């Protein structure tokens, strides 16, 4: 794993209300469970004008669209090879 990994979650009103409120908590728990909390940057940002693709998530600049509780764990596991 690269120590420069960074997760950025959109906290704009559209993404937040469409699921990133729940995704935020899922990511926090995932990082904690897999002892990644101190080695992965995790931050929120406001809208990138991609509301029609949201909820949005980026890992190291790679965008993930339509992120939801059904696919977020597999996205995280795939990226971190867990």
């Amino acid at each position: 794993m690269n120590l420069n990994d960074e997760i950025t979650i959109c906290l704009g009103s559209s993404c937040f209300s469409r699921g990133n409120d729940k995704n935020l908590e899922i990511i926090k728990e995932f990082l904690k469970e897999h002892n990644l909390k101190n080695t992965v940057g995790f931050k929120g940002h406001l809208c990138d004008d991609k509301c029609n693709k949201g909820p949005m998530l980026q890992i190291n600049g790679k965008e993930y669209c339509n992120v939801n509780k059904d696919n977020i764990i597999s996205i995280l596991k795939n990226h971190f090879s867990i």
Side-chain angles (χ1 to χ4, degrees), residues 41-80:
F42 181 41
K43 66 180 185 177
H45 70 96
L46 294 179
C47 191
D48 278 336
D49 293 325
K50 298 177 182 171
C51 302
N52 61 329
K53 297 179 181 182
M56 298 289 296
L57 174 71
Q58 289 183 9
I59 303 176
N60 296 339
K62 181 178 180 183
E63 288 186 348
Y64 295 90
C65 306
N66 300 308
V67 179
N68 59 54
K69 63 182 175 65
D70 297 324
N71 65 13
I72 191 167
I73 295 295
S74 61
I75 290 170
L76 294 169
K77 283 183 174 183
N78 185 52
H79 178 78
F80 293 105

Side-chain angles (χ1 to χ4, degrees), residues 12 19 26 28 40 76:
I26 292 169
K28 283 183 189 177
V40 176
L76 294 169

Side-chain angles (χ1 to χ4, degrees), residues 5-70:
D5 285 319
E6 184 169 273
I7 299 171
T8 306
I9 187 170
C10 182
L11 297 177
S13 59
S14 178
C15 283
F16 193 77
S17 67
R18 291 170 64 192
N20 268 354
D21 58 334
K22 294 169 186 66
N23 292 338
L24 176 69
E25 297 306 318
I26 292 169
I27 294 168
K28 283 183 189 177
E29 188 61 31
F30 180 89
L31 294 176
K32 183 179 174 184
E33 284 179 11
H34 296 283
N35 297 315
L36 297 170
K37 194 173 171 184
N38 296 322
T39 59
V40 176
F42 181 41
K43 66 180 185 177
H45 70 96
L46 294 179
C47 191
D48 278 336
D49 293 325
K50 298 177 182 171
C51 302
N52 61 329
K53 297 179 181 182
M56 298 289 296
L57 174 71
Q58 289 183 9
I59 303 176
N60 296 339
K62 181 178 180 183
E63 288 186 348
Y64 295 90
C65 306
N66 300 308
V67 179
N68 59 54
K69 63 182 175 65
D70 297 324

